[in-house]
């Protein structure tokens, strides 16, 4: 079983950007993001990839 410093529930914009900020500002933290939605992956991943590139 893995241990994490931060667990974020939900990979909507709030969750994914919280994870992004944590990774940027505190790279020593081990962050996990859990997402319940089965259909999240393709649409949100592509949208978020574009947004993260723009940051
Ligand atoms: C039809 C529609 C169109 C919209 N269009 C726009 C737009 O054009 N531009 C814009 O800026 N905003 C738009 N919005 C608003 C935007 O979608 C929300 O403001 C934004 O998604 C909120 O982000 P969030 O991370 O707070 O929540 P959410 O996006 O709701 O993300 C929460 C995530 O948590 C997951 N989750 C919930 N419970 C659990 C659990 N127990 N375990 C694991 N995962 C869980 C959910 O599956 C979801 O993926 C639109 C909203 C709707 C409904």
């Amino acid at each position: 079983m893995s241990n994490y410093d931060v667990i974020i529930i939900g990979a909507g914009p709030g969750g994914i950007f919280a994870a992004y900020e944590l990774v940027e500002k505190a790279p020593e933290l081990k962050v996990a993001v859990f997402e319940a939605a089965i259909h999240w992956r393709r649409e949100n991943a592509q949208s978020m990839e574009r947004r993260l590139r723009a940051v």
Side-chain angles (χ1 to χ4, degrees), residues 36-52:
I38 292 168
H39 299 294
W40 177 86
R41 58 191 187 283
R42 180 167 295 169
E43 296 78 7
N44 280 22
Q46 289 173 346
S47 161
M48 201 48 61
E49 197 179 342
R50 283 193 297 273
R51 291 190 211 183
L52 286 172

Side-chain angles (χ1 to χ4, degrees), residues 17-38:
F17 276 104
Y20 178 77
E21 290 290 325
L22 281 167
V23 168
E24 279 282 296
K25 294 187 167 88
E28 72 279 7
L29 293 179
K30 196 170 173 191
V31 180
V33 181
F34 292 96
E35 171 53 52
I38 292 168

